[in-house]
Amino acid sequence: MDPPVLQLSPARPSAEETGRLLAGRHHDPHSVLGAHPVRGGVVVRVLRPGAERVLLETEVGTLALAAGADGLFTGLLPSGWEPRYRLTVGYRDHDRVEHDGYRFAPTVGELDLHLIREGRHEQLWQALGSHPRTVDGVAGTAFAVWAPNAEGVRLVGDFNYWDGTGFPMRSLGAGGVWELFVPGLGEGTRYKYEIATRDGRLLQKADPLARRTEAPPATASVVHASHYTWGDARWLARRGEVSYLNAAMSVYELHPGSWRPGLSYRQLAVELPAYLRELNFTHVEFLPVMEHPFGGSWGYQVSGFYAPTARLGTPDDFKFLIDALHQAGIGVIVDWVPAHFPKDDFALARFDGAPLYEPADPRRAEHPDWGTLEFDYGRTEVRNFLVANAVYWCEEFHIDGLRVDAVASMLYLDYSRQDGQWTPNQYGGRENLDAVAFLQEMNATVYRRCPGVVTIAEESTAWDGVTRPTDSPGRDGAGGLGFGLKWNMGWMHDSLRYFSREPVHRQYHHHELTFSMVYAYSEHYVLPISHDEVVHGKGALVAKMPGDWWQQRANHRAYLGFMWSHPGKQLLFMGQEFAQGAEWDHEQGPQWWLLDDDWPAAADHRGVQRLVGELNRIYQDYPPLWQLDSDPAGFRWLDADAARDNVYSYLRRDTAGRALASVSNLCPEVRTGYRIGLPAGGWWHPVLDTDEPRFGGAGAGRREPYLAEEVPWQGQPFSVGLTLPALSTLWLCPQGPELPVIPARGLDAAETDPLRREPLDAEAGDLARPSTRRDHVPAAVETG
C-alpha cells in the first residue's frame, strides 16, 4: 500500500521564486526548502529534479510529498509537528535514503562571519572550505565559500552527477559567505562550486580553501579530514627555544616531484632524510608543494593554496614526510607564492564572475612577466586569505619556514611595467602600500602564532628594512617588512659573475667578491645558489666555471668553500652538491647516474658530494662560521685587496672570540709561503682544504698544522706562511681547548646542535627509519 500523499501547501513559492531557485540564483534557498511553519501547519519542500517520488520518513510513519513538474516536492503537515525526518528519494532505477540538509542551522558561526568581514580570521580554513562533521547527530559535510558578487551558489560533485540544481547554498549576509550542510557526504567526495554570476553565466570553481584536490589534470576539490598523529613534539619545543639568526642553517633546495621522479611523499620520507643526514644539511627547502595545474611551473603558479599537490599523495602523506624529516633533525622550509596566481577558469581568476582575488584595475591585476594575476592586497578578505594561508602551513603541517617568492614584484607598482602601464599610489609613489601592509601583517602574525618559524624573502632590490621588525622604524620612519631572512641576490649575482671569468681576468674584477661585505649587515641574509641559477640556459653551477673539467671542478669546490665561510646562511639546489653538468630538468631530476660506479667520472662527482657533506659538518661544528652572521664583530678582512694574487682572506669569529681563518686562492697556480695574519699563536690546523684528493683535488696543500709566528701581519699579532693550492679554499682553526679540531664522524655519533642534532626517535609510531647506507644516492622504493 502506497504512503498517503500530503496535501499541497497553500504557501507554495511563487513562480518567480521557484525560477530563481531552479536557476541557482536564490540567495536563501533554506527559506524555501526544508520544513517551515505556515498558516495551517508545517510545510515541507524538497527539490530533487529527476526524482519520481519523495517520501518523508517520520516518527509517525511514512508520508509522500506531492510532486511538481519542476522537481519541487511539497506537502503540508499538521501544526506542531516536530521537523525531524529522513527522505527516501525514488528515481527510475533506485531509491536513496538521506537526511534533508535544508533543515539544519548554519554551520558557520557569527564570530567566524565577523572575523571574515574584518579580515582577521587567522584560522580561516576552519570556517571556510569543506569539513566532515556531525550536526544534530547526523554525519555529513559542511561547505562554505566566499563569493560576494555571486547571485547564487550551488554545490556540484560526484554525488549529484555534477548537477547542482538540488543543492543550492545560502548566503549568510553582507560578508559574502555561502554555506550548505550536506548529510551523508564524507571524506573523498569530489566537488566544486557552481556560481551564478551577475551577467548570467554559470561557473564551476574549485574550492579556494580546499585542503585536498584531485591529481592534475583533474581539477575538483576533495573533502578531507586529517587523521595524522604527529611524533615531532620534541622538535617543535626545541625549535621555539633557538634563534635562527644565531644558529647554523645550511639548506638543500629541491623540487619534490623530480628529486627522485616517481617517489610519493611516503617514499620520500624514507629516502630524503637519510640523504640529508648523510650530507649534514640542517634544512630542506621544497619548491612550492601547493596544488598547481601546470607541472612546468614547478609549483609557482598555485591554484590550490591550502592543498599539497595530489601528484605525490594525500595531505596526511605530506605530514608523514615532514614528521620523518623532523625526527631526523631536519628543518622544513617551503616556498610560498602570494605574489600571483594563474588565470585557469576553474580556480581563483574572476572567481564569482568579477575581479575578486585580483584588483579590478587590469593595470594592477595583470602580471606582465608570467601571464598571471596579482592579488588585491588592499581587500581585507583577500589579505586574510593569504595571511591565514601562511599560518595554515605552519600550524597544520608543522612547517619551519616560509620562503616568500617574488617579493619585489609585490612591492613595486611599476614592476616590469612601462610608463602608462601602471598607476601610482595615493602619494604619487611607485610603492605598493597595500602589499607592504600585507607582508607586515603576515610576518607579524606568523611570528606571534608559530614560535621558531622563520620567514624568508626572495627580494631582489635594495628595499630598506626587509628583515627589520615591523615595529622598528628605519631611516624613513616606516617599520620594516618583518621577514627573518632575505636571499642575498647581490652576492649571488656578483660571485657567480666573478667565478665565471677566466682567472687571468679576475684581478680586474676583484671587487665582485668583496663588495658584498659593504652591505652584509644591512639585512639578515641567506646566500642562495637556487634553482633559478641552473635553468633557462644559465647552465649548472660547475658549467659556469671556466677552464677544462679539472679546473671547473676546482673552481666549483673553491666557490663552495668561499660561500660556506661567508657571513650568511647557505642554500644549494639539488644536483649542485655533486657537480652535475647539465641544467635542471623538472621531468628528469638530478643526474644521479653520474655517481654510478660504471660512469667514467663518477669519482669526480663523488668528490664534490663528499666535500659538501664535509662543509656542512665543519660548518655546524664551528660556531665562528654562523654564530655572528648578523653582527660585524663576526667578520674581519685579513686582506681584501690582494687582487693581483686573486686571493681573499678573512677571519670569522664567534661570541667567545674564537676564530677561523678562510683563505681562497682563485688563480690556477699553487702559492707557497703565502703569508696571512692570525690573531693567536700556536698551531693552526687546516680543517678544510677543497684541493684534498678525497674531494677530487690534486692534494697540493699541506695537511700538517702550521705554527703561527710572532710576526705581525695584516693587523694581526701573528702570521704564518701558507701553501695555497691552485683554485682552492683553505680553512684554518687553532688547536686548543677553546676550539678543538673535530674529526669526521658517522650519523650515530654524539651530536650537540640544538636543532640539527636531534637523533631519530626509534619509538616514533610507524615512521620508517631512514636508511643509513653510505651509497652515493638513495635507492628507489618499490611501490605496491
Side-chain angles (χ1 to χ4, degrees):
M1 180 176 179
D2 291 335
V5 178
L6 294 172
Q7 70 179 81
L8 289 174
S9 166
R12 184 172 176 80
S14 67
E16 185 273 337
E17 189 168 39
T18 301
R20 287 193 293 122
L21 190 65
L22 294 173
R25 296 181 179 277
H26 201 297
H27 74 286
D28 189 13
H30 289 66
S31 68
V32 179
L33 303 176
H36 302 277
V38 296
R39 180 179 298 177
V42 176
V43 64
V44 178
R45 304 189 190 98
V46 176
L47 181 60
R48 286 295 181 269
E52 294 183 346
R53 61 193 175 279
V54 174
L55 306 180
L56 289 184
E57 307 284 349
T58 72
E59 295 179 355
V60 297
T62 300
L63 304 169
L65 297 181
D70 48 20
L72 185 65
F73 294 79
T74 184
L76 185 65
L77 292 164
S79 296
W81 176 77
E82 179 68 25
R84 296 180 69 86
Y85 57 89
R86 289 192 308 173
L87 304 175
T88 298
V89 183
Y91 296 92
R92 179 174 302 175
D93 56 353
H94 71 283
D95 289 348
R96 284 176 52 176
V97 178
E98 57 191 58
H99 287 272
D100 185 0
Y102 293 89
R103 70 175 180 84
F104 293 93
T107 55
V108 181
E110 288 298 323
L111 178 59
D112 289 319
L113 294 174
H114 171 75
L115 293 174
I116 291 170
R117 288 193 299 268
E118 293 290 316
R120 291 289 184 266
H121 204 309
E122 295 176 357
Q123 292 181 308
L124 185 66
W125 67 93
Q126 295 185 1
L128 301 183
S130 60
H131 298 273
R133 63 181 56 176
T134 298
V135 179
D136 292 341
V138 177
T141 297
F143 297 87
V145 63
W146 178 62
N149 298 309
E151 284 196 346
V153 181
R154 298 190 292 200
L155 189 69
V156 299
D158 55 9
F159 56 94
N160 61 10
Y161 304 100
W162 301 95
D163 180 356
T165 308
F167 293 83
M169 303 177 72
R170 65 176 148 201
S171 170
L172 296 181
V177 174
W178 300 75
E179 180 270 349
L180 180 64
F181 176 71
V182 183
L185 294 189
E187 296 178 50
T189 299
R190 296 180 298 134
Y191 71 98
K192 287 185 179 181
Y193 298 115
E194 186 175 70
I195 297 175
T197 69
R198 294 176 179 176
D199 58 5
R201 293 173 296 144
L202 288 177
L203 310 176
Q204 287 196 358
K205 294 285 191 174
D207 190 345
L209 273 292
R211 291 168 295 155
R212 183 179 174 188
T213 68
E214 286 187 294
T219 58
S221 303
V222 180
V223 175
H224 171 73
S226 179
H227 301 283
Y228 189 76
T229 300
W230 289 91
D232 63 348
R234 283 198 300 169
W235 168 270
L236 294 180
R238 287 164 49 151
R239 184 189 73 182
E241 299 171 355
V242 178
S243 170
Y244 53 84
L245 292 178
N246 303 320
M249 179 182 288
S250 58
V251 183
Y252 184 71
E253 186 193 33
L254 66 84
H255 179 243
S258 67
W259 182 70
R260 290 283 289 175
L263 294 191
S264 68
Y265 291 130
R266 287 186 178 260
Q267 292 165 338
L268 284 169
V270 176
E271 300 294 337
L272 184 57
Y275 186 70
L276 295 174
R277 283 176 66 93
E278 189 76 12
L279 294 187
N280 298 305
F281 281 97
T282 69
H283 290 72
V284 62
E285 179 174 326
F286 294 125
L287 272 61
V289 298
M290 301 79 184
E291 194 59 89
H292 50 284
F294 176 49
S297 76
W298 313 330
Y300 288 99
Q301 295 190 9
V302 177
S303 56
F305 279 80
Y306 284 79
T309 179
R311 292 170 174 88
L312 306 182
T314 69
D316 279 2
D317 293 338
F318 184 52
K319 290 180 179 181
F320 183 92
L321 170 59
I322 297 169
D323 206 351
L325 288 161
H326 282 173
Q327 293 188 42
I330 307 295
V332 180
I333 301 167
V334 296
D335 281 11
W336 186 54
V337 193
H340 63 124
F341 56 93
K343 296 180 179 180
D344 297 69
D345 290 338
F346 74 91
L348 296 182
R350 299 182 70 88
F351 183 76
D352 54 7
L356 185 64
Y357 288 90
E358 68 271 36
D361 186 344
R363 290 174 297 179
R364 290 199 177 186
E366 295 282 338
H367 198 294
D369 285 350
W370 303 312
T372 53
L373 296 171
E374 299 184 13
F375 282 99
D376 184 356
Y377 305 108
R379 185 159 192 164
T380 57
E381 298 93 339
V382 174
R383 192 171 66 244
N384 190 175
F385 172 83
L386 292 171
V387 171
N389 187 242
V391 174
Y392 170 76
W393 290 102
C394 299
E395 290 190 350
E396 293 292 321
F397 288 90
H398 295 193
I399 295 300
D400 304 296
L402 295 171
R403 177 268 193 185
V404 184
D405 183 63
V407 171
S409 75
M410 302 165 63
L411 292 175
Y412 298 98
L413 295 168
D414 62 346
Y415 184 87
S416 286
R417 294 176 171 88
Q418 303 300 318
D419 290 343
Q421 296 179 335
W422 63 283
T423 55
N425 61 36
Q426 60 263 44
Y427 304 110
R430 57 196 284 255
E431 300 81 10
N432 188 335
L433 302 180
D434 292 332
V436 171
F438 154 66
L439 291 171
Q440 290 175 324
E441 181 181 348
M442 181 276 298
N443 281 312
T445 304
V446 167
Y447 282 121
R448 171 170 49 83
R449 294 187 63 102
C450 310
V453 167
V454 60
T455 60
I456 306 168
E458 185 212 18
E459 201 284 315
S460 55
T461 73
W463 185 281
D464 180 51
V466 173
T467 59
R468 193 169 64 240
T470 58
D471 59 353
S472 177
R475 295 188 300 273
D476 57 1
L481 294 183
F483 285 95
L485 296 167
K486 171 183 172 175
W487 275 17
N488 194 335
M489 310 297 281
W491 172 88
M492 179 270 295
H493 286 298
D494 288 346
S495 63
L496 290 180
R497 186 181 302 115
Y498 176 90
F499 270 87
S500 69
R501 302 184 188 280
E502 292 287 346
V504 68
H505 302 304
R506 288 176 175 173
Q507 63 178 306
Y508 307 109
H509 303 277
H510 194 76
H511 67 283
E512 290 177 342
L513 287 194
T514 61
F515 181 65
S516 60
M517 292 310 303
V518 173
Y519 61 87
Y521 304 105
S522 61
E523 303 280 3
H524 305 306
Y525 283 117
V526 175
L527 309 181
I529 301 299
S530 73
H531 65 281
D532 280 332
E533 311 317 314
V534 295
V535 291
H536 301 320
K538 295 179 182 178
L541 181 58
V542 73
K544 301 176 191 291
M545 305 299 173
D548 58 22
W549 175 233
W550 190 95
Q551 290 178 317
Q552 284 182 311
R553 287 185 294 115
N555 274 294
H556 184 106
R557 296 191 305 268
Y559 179 65
L560 294 178
F562 172 79
M563 172 181 174
W564 253 252
S565 62
H566 189 285
K569 313 308 180 183
Q570 323 299 328
L571 180 141
L572 191 65
F573 185 61
M574 63 181 190
Q576 313 317 301
E577 79 274 18
F578 58 85
Q580 76 169 45
E583 289 189 340
W584 170 51
D585 181 331
H586 73 274
E587 294 182 352
Q588 300 297 323
Q591 297 177 304
W592 296 113
W593 62 86
L594 297 177
L595 300 159
D596 290 342
D597 290 334
D598 57 358
W599 187 258
D604 297 341
H605 295 282
R606 289 179 182 174
V608 175
Q609 187 185 51
R610 189 175 296 114
L611 170 66
V612 170
E614 191 71 352
L615 283 169
N616 280 327
R617 182 188 70 81
I618 300 172
Y619 167 72
Q620 292 169 59
D621 288 340
Y622 283 76
L625 290 170
W626 44 263
Q627 200 170 64
L628 293 176
D629 269 339
S630 299
D631 189 331
F635 179 92
R636 177 168 179 173
W637 284 110
L638 293 173
D639 192 346
D641 299 315
R644 297 188 63 179
D645 298 332
N646 291 355
V647 172
Y648 299 82
S649 55
Y650 47 84
L651 296 174
R652 296 297 310 277
R653 294 183 182 274
D654 64 11
T655 54
R658 298 171 297 191
L660 180 144
S662 178
V663 186
S664 295
N665 175 27
L666 303 180
C667 77
E669 299 177 356
V670 177
R671 299 190 180 278
T672 58
Y674 195 90
R675 187 164 293 275
I676 66 165
L678 292 173
W683 294 99
W684 285 71
H685 289 246
V687 293
L688 177 83
D689 179 355
T690 64
D691 186 57
E692 282 190 53
R694 61 183 175 134
F695 305 140
R702 172 176 166 175
R703 302 194 65 179
E704 294 78 17
Y706 290 90
L707 182 60
E709 304 170 89
E710 198 169 351
V711 176
W713 200 260
Q714 297 171 336
Q716 301 297 319
F718 297 87
S719 63
V720 66
L722 302 175
T723 298
L724 301 180
L727 302 173
S728 71
T729 293
L730 177 68
W731 295 353
L732 296 169
C733 195
Q735 173 70 30
E738 72 283 357
L739 192 62
V741 177
I742 303 175
R745 59 192 179 192
L747 296 179
D748 297 326
E751 298 176 336
T752 58
D753 187 280
L755 288 184
R756 170 70 183 95
R757 304 304 189 179
E758 177 70 11
L760 292 176
D761 188 350
E763 300 177 356
D766 61 351
L767 272 176
R769 184 181 177 90
S771 169
T772 56
R773 14 187 331 264
R774 309 293 294 188
D775 296 357
H776 55 272
V777 61
V781 177
E782 292 185 5
T783 59

